[in-house]
C-alpha cells in the first residue's frame, strides 16, 4: 500500500497565549481548530476522526481527547490520544494517513495544545513525571539532570566542549529573535560568552543550553485528508513519509537495554537514540535521503540533543554534528536551516505542545507563511518529535509538492 | 479546569515500590544491596522484574544475588537547581549512573566533591535511611 503522499494537511491553525493573554489548553485547541476548519474549507461535522497527543500538562484530565471532542460537541468514529510522550504528537499524522488510506476516515483532525508555564510548577512536575518513581526520583533528579547523563557521555566520547554546546544555543537564538512568539526573543542576540556566563542547571548544562518553559501556551490543529481532496485545497502540505521508534520509559531501563537494532550502536550507550530507526522508515517511505531536505525541525530541548538528533537523522556521522554547526549550515542563511522558529531552545517548550510547534513551523515555512525568518523556496521539511528521556521518536517528512 | 497534581515539596520523596522489587527494599534494611541474575543466560538484571528474563526470554530462572557495592561512574551530573525546595540544603549534589562490578547499572547519588567527579571514577555503596526505607547511595573512593 502506497502511503507516501497519499494524504495531506489540507488545513491548519495555530494559537498562542502568554501572561497577558492567559488561556488554557481547551481554549487554545479550540481556536486552532476553528482556524484549521476554515482553512480547509470544511465544517466540524465533516471531521470523522480525532487524534490528540497525551493530555496537556496544564490540564491532565484522562481522556483529554474526549474532553476536547465534547467541548466542541463533535461526535466522531474514533477519538484517541496518541501517546508516547511528545513523539505521539508527531505520530498523529502517520495514524491519520493510515485511517485515510484504508478508507476508515475522510477528514482527520490532529490537534494538540498546552500552556504549562501559565498553570503548573514545571520544574517539580517534570521531575515527578519523567523520572522512575522507584529507582530515580528519590535521589532528586530534574529533567535537565537526566538529560545531562546523555550530555556527559556524548561530550566525553566525542570531545565536545561546553563552548561547542554554547554555539548551538547561540545559533538557535539567531533564529528565535526573529519569531514574534519565541519565549527567549526578549533577550535579543547572544554570544558564546552569554551562554558560558549563565549558571549551571545540571552540569554540564548551563541555563542557556536548556529549553525554557515557554511561550505561555501554544496550539496547533491539522486537518488531514486524501491526496484527491488535497488536489483542490488552497495550500496542501503532503505527508511524504513517517516513521517511529520507542526504546524505553525511564532512563534506568534505557541503561538496561541490550536487545535493539544495530543502528543504536553497541549497548548500553547514551549517545544514539531510536530516532535512527524512525528516520530510516520515513526516508524509505518518502523515497528520499537527508540531502533532499530543505529544512529540519528538531526536538532540541538541550544543546547536546540538537547534535545527537542531527546525527541520528542522518545529517552527520555519529559524533560529527558539531562540524555541521561550525560550518554555519544550520544558521539563518545557511544551506540546511534547522529549527527556524528558534527551536525548543529559543522558541521554548510550552509543554506537550512543543512538538506541534515544530510541525506548525514546518507547515508555515512550506506554505510561505513563516511568522519569523522565512526559508525562501523550501519544498521539503523533516520534523522530528521526540519524547520522554530520549525514549520515543517520531519523524514526519512534509512537502508542498504532490510528488 | 483541573490542575495537574502538584508533588509535595516539604519532604524528600520516598520510592514508590513495585511488587517485583520488594526483596530489594527488604535487603536494604539490612544494608545489603541485591540485584537479580538469570541462571540460564547468566545476565545480571536490574531494575528487578518478574520471572521472565528480558535478555534470554527464559521463565522461572531468575535469582537474587548480593552485590559487592563496588563500581565505576558511567555518567554524572552535578545538580545545581533541584526539583523542589526540599532539596535546597543539599545543593549541589551529584547524580549519575554507576556500573557495578557484577555488570549491572544503578542510578544514585554519588557523594564526593563535585570537582572530583569523573567518568570511570571508583565508587562504593553506603546507605541512607529515609522514612521506612533505606536507600543505597555511593561514595567516591579516593
Amino acid at each position: 500500500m502506497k502511503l507516501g503522499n497519499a494524504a495531506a494537511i489540507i488545513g491548519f491553525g495555530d494559537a498562542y497565549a502568554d501572561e497577558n493573554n492567559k488561556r488554557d489548553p481547551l481554549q487554545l485547541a479550540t481556536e486552532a481548530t476553528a482556524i484549521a476548519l476554515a482553512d480547509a474549507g470544511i465544517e466540524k461535522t465533516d471531521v470523522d476522526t480525532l487524534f490528540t497527543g497525551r493530555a496537556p500538562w496544564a490540564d491532565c484530565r484522562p481522556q483529554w481527547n474526549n474532553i476536547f471532542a465534547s467541548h466542541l460537541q463533535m461526535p466522531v468514529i474514533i477519538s484517541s490520544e496518541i501517546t508516547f510522550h511528545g513523539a505521539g504528537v508527531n505520530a498523529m499524522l502517520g495514524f491519520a494517513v493510515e485511517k485515510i488510506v484504508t478508507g476508515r476516515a475522510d477528514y482527520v483532525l490532529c490537534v494538540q495544545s498546552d500552556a504549562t508555564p501559565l498553570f503548573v510548577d514545571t520544574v517539580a512536575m517534570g521531575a515527578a513525571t519523567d523520572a522512575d518513581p522507584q529507582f530515580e526520583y528519590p535521589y532528586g533528579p530534574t529533567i535537565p539532570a537526566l538529560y545531562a547523563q546523555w550530555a556527559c557521555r556524548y561530550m566525553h566520547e566525542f570531545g565536545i566542549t561546553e563552548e561547542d554546546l554554547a554555539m548551538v544555543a547561540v545559533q538557535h537564538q539567531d533564529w528565535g529573535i526573529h519569531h514574534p512568539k519565541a519565549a527567549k526573543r526578549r533577550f535579543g542576540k547572544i554570544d558564546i560568552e552569554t551562554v558560558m556566563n549563565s549558571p549551571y542547571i545540571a552540569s554540564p548544562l548551563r541555563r542557556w543550553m536548556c529549553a525554557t518553559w515557554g511561550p505561555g501556551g501554544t496550539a496547533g490543529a491539522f486537518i488531514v485528508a486524501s491526496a484527491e481532496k488535497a488536489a483542490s485545497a488552497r495550500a496542501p502540505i503532503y505527508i511524504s513519509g513517517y516513521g517511529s521508534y520507542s526504546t524505553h520509559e525511564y532512563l534506568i531501563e534505557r541503561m538496561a537495554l541490550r536487545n535493539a537494532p544495530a543502528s543504536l550502536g553497541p549497548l548500553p550507550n547514551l549517545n544514539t537514540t531510536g530516532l535512527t530507526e524512525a528516520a530510516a522508515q520515513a526516508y524509505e517511505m518518502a523515497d528520499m535521503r537527508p540531502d533532499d531536505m530543505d529544512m529540519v525541525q528538531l526536538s532540541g530541548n538541550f544543546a547536546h540533543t540538537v547534535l545527537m538528533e542531527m546525527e541520528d537523522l542522518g545529517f552527520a556521522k555519529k559524533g560529527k554534528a558539531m562540524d555541521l554547526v561550525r560550518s554555519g549550515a544550520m544558521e539563518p542563511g545557511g544551506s540546511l536551516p534547522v529549527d527556524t522558529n528558534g527551536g525548543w531552545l529559543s522558541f521554548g517548550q510550552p509543554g506537550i505542545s512543543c512538538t506541534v510547534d515544530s510541525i506548525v513551523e514546518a507547515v508555515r515555512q512550506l506554505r510561505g507563511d513563516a511568522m519569523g525568518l522565512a526559508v525562501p523556496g523550501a519544498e521539503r521539511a523533516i520534523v522530528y518529535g521526540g519524547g520522554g528521556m530520549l525514549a520515543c521518536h517520531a519523524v514526519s517528512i512534509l512537502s508542498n509538492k504532490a510528488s | 479546569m483541573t490542575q495537574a497534581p502538584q508533588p509535595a515539596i516539604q519532604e524528600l520523596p520516598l520510592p514508590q515500590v513495585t511488587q517485583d522489587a520488594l526483596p530489594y527494599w527488604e535487603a536494604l534494611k539490612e544494608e545489603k544491596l541485591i540485584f537479580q541474575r538469570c541462571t540460564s543466560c547468566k545476565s545480571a538484571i536490574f531494575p528487578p522484574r518478574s520471572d521472565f528474563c528480558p535478555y534470554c526470554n527464559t521463565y522461572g530462572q531468575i535469582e537474587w544475588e548480593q552485590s559487592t557495592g563496588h563500581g565505576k561512574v558511567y555518567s554524572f551530573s552535578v545538580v545545581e537547581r533541584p526539583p523542589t525546595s526540599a532539596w535546597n540544603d543539599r545543593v549541589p549534589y551529584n547524580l549519575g549512573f554507576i556500573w557495578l562490578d557484577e555488570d549491572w547499572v544503578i542510578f544514585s547519588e554519588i557523594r564526593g566533591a563535585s570537582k572530583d567527579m569523573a567518568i570511570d571514577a571508583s565508587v562504593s555503596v553506603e546507605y541512607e535511611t529515609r522514612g521506612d526505607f533505606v536507600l543505597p547511595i555511593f561514595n567516591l573512593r579516593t
Side-chain angles (χ1 to χ4, degrees):
Chain A
M1 186 174 287
K2 185 183 179 304
L3 296 176
N5 288 354
I9 297 165
I10 64 160
F12 102 100
D14 49 1
Y16 303 89
D18 56 41
E19 284 291 347
N20 300 320
N21 177 29
K22 194 169 177 176
R23 308 176 69 221
D24 70 23
L26 270 183
Q27 294 173 311
L28 287 162
T30 302
E31 179 183 345
T33 297
I35 296 168
L37 290 169
D39 185 47
I42 65 169
E43 301 294 328
K44 176 185 79 178
T45 48
D46 295 322
V47 172
D48 49 21
T49 299
L50 169 69
F51 291 134
T52 69
R54 79 174 184 198
W57 284 28
D59 183 358
C60 282
R61 286 176 289 176
Q63 300 304 147
W64 196 86
N65 53 317
N66 282 339
I67 293 167
F68 176 71
S70 301
H71 192 67
L72 298 191
Q73 287 298 330
M74 185 178 70
V76 290
I77 295 172
I78 189 167
S79 144
S80 187
E81 296 175 356
I82 307 297
T83 72
F84 51 141
H85 292 277
V89 177
N90 199 359
M92 295 193 291
L93 298 177
F95 279 88
V97 170
E98 288 163 19
K99 282 289 180 190
I100 285 160
V101 168
T102 55
R104 294 285 294 162
D106 286 329
Y107 295 98
V108 181
L109 169 61
C110 299
V111 61
Q112 185 69 49
S113 61
D114 211 338
T116 310
L118 298 180
F119 295 98
V120 182
D121 178 346
T122 49
V123 175
M125 188 177 167
T129 304
D130 286 335
D132 183 327
Q134 182 164 224
F135 297 112
E136 293 170 356
Y137 189 58
Y139 297 103
T142 54
I143 290 179
L146 293 171
Y147 272 90
Q149 306 300 322
W150 297 81
C152 175
R153 289 302 305 192
Y154 181 81
M155 294 166 76
H156 173 76
E157 290 169 24
F158 302 111
I160 303 300
T161 66
E162 285 189 30
E163 285 76 9
D164 290 336
L165 297 190
M167 188 180 288
V168 174
V170 168
Q171 291 189 359
H172 276 69
Q173 185 70 356
D174 285 345
W175 286 104
I177 55 175
H178 297 284
H179 196 291
K181 302 295 184 186
K184 290 184 182 171
R185 183 189 193 208
R186 66 184 190 277
F187 298 115
K189 203 168 164 59
I190 62 167
D191 56 24
I192 287 175
E193 201 172 28
T194 314
V195 181
M196 294 303 291
N197 285 337
S198 65
Y200 282 119
I201 301 297
S203 76
L205 302 173
R206 295 174 182 274
R207 185 181 300 280
W208 268 103
M209 300 169 187
C210 305
T212 189
W213 289 103
T218 63
F222 310 93
I223 308 289
V224 181
S226 66
E228 291 73 37
K229 290 187 175 71
S232 58
R234 184 173 65 84
I237 300 299
Y238 292 85
I239 301 163
S240 302
Y242 58 87
S244 60
Y245 210 74
S246 182
T247 50
H248 60 282
E249 177 57 21
Y250 304 125
L251 209 46
I252 183 75
E253 290 287 1
R254 178 61 166 78
M255 285 301 298
L257 182 69
R258 298 291 183 278
N259 308 316
S263 70
L264 270 81
L267 294 168
N269 69 50
L270 292 177
N271 61 32
T272 306
T273 75
L275 171 55
T276 53
E277 291 293 305
Q281 295 163 29
Y283 288 130
E284 183 182 4
M285 185 188 295
D287 195 21
M288 294 180 197
R289 299 154 16 98
D291 289 351
D292 295 319
M293 299 302 129
D294 296 324
M295 74 174 70
V296 185
Q297 311 294 344
L298 300 172
S299 293
N301 43 3
F302 297 95
H304 64 296
T305 64
V306 168
L307 300 174
M308 293 171 59
E309 291 167 13
M310 288 301 287
E311 293 160 10
D312 293 349
L313 280 167
F315 293 102
K317 288 198 185 328
K318 185 47 64 182
K320 297 294 183 189
M322 197 55 218
D323 295 343
L324 204 54
V325 174
R326 291 193 196 98
S327 77
M330 294 158 60
E331 293 177 311
S335 59
L336 181 63
V338 174
D339 289 342
T340 54
N341 62 354
W344 296 9
L345 280 173
S346 281
F347 180 87
Q349 259 187 293
I352 194 68
S353 58
C354 47
T355 300
V356 99
D357 299 330
S358 304
I359 305 171
V360 163
E361 176 63 15
V363 168
R364 280 189 167 276
Q365 289 281 2
L366 294 174
R367 288 173 52 142
D369 193 19
M371 293 175 84
L373 272 187
V375 179
E379 294 182 1
R380 293 163 174 174
I382 189 162
V383 183
Y384 167 51
M389 301 299 102
L390 294 175
C392 309
H393 314 277
V395 171
S396 298
I397 295 174
L398 304 177
S399 172
N400 57 17
K401 296 280 184 293
S403 60
Chain B
M1 193 191 70
T2 307
Q3 283 294 322
Q6 300 287 307
I9 60 169
Q10 286 78 21
E11 294 176 7
L12 298 180
L14 298 173
Q16 291 180 30
V17 174
T18 58
Q19 290 296 301
D20 283 334
L22 282 176
Y24 173 82
W25 294 109
E26 283 303 310
L28 283 166
K29 288 177 182 172
E30 298 168 20
E31 301 205 338
K32 289 179 180 154
L33 180 66
I34 63 172
F35 64 101
Q36 292 175 313
R37 192 181 292 283
C38 174
T39 58
S40 178
C41 71
K42 313 299 183 200
S43 297
I45 299 170
F46 192 84
R49 57 198 76 216
S50 305
D51 259 349
F52 192 72
C53 174
Y55 302 120
C56 73
N57 307 330
T58 305
Y59 188 78
Q61 301 288 322
I62 293 178
E63 295 182 349
W64 289 93
E65 183 175 320
Q66 186 169 346
S67 169
T68 61
H70 295 307
K72 290 186 186 310
V73 173
Y74 179 78
S75 64
F76 67 93
S77 174
V78 182
V79 179
E80 300 281 355
R81 187 193 61 178
T84 69
S85 58
W87 297 91
N88 283 357
D89 56 10
R90 290 192 172 211
V91 171
Y93 51 92
N94 314 315
L95 298 182
F97 284 106
I98 294 142
W99 200 315
L100 278 303
D101 286 355
E102 301 88 5
D103 198 24
W104 60 288
V105 177
I106 194 171
F107 183 82
S108 189
E109 180 179 350
I110 302 163
R111 292 199 178 148
S114 297
K115 66 176 176 48
D116 295 332
M117 290 295 298
I119 286 174
D120 288 337
S122 294
V123 296
S124 52
V125 71
E126 70 164 301
Y127 301 92
E128 175 187 322
T129 300
R130 191 181 299 173
D132 292 336
F133 289 89
V134 174
L135 298 181
I137 56 169
F138 288 80
N139 281 323
L140 279 179
R141 283 204 305 243
T142 49

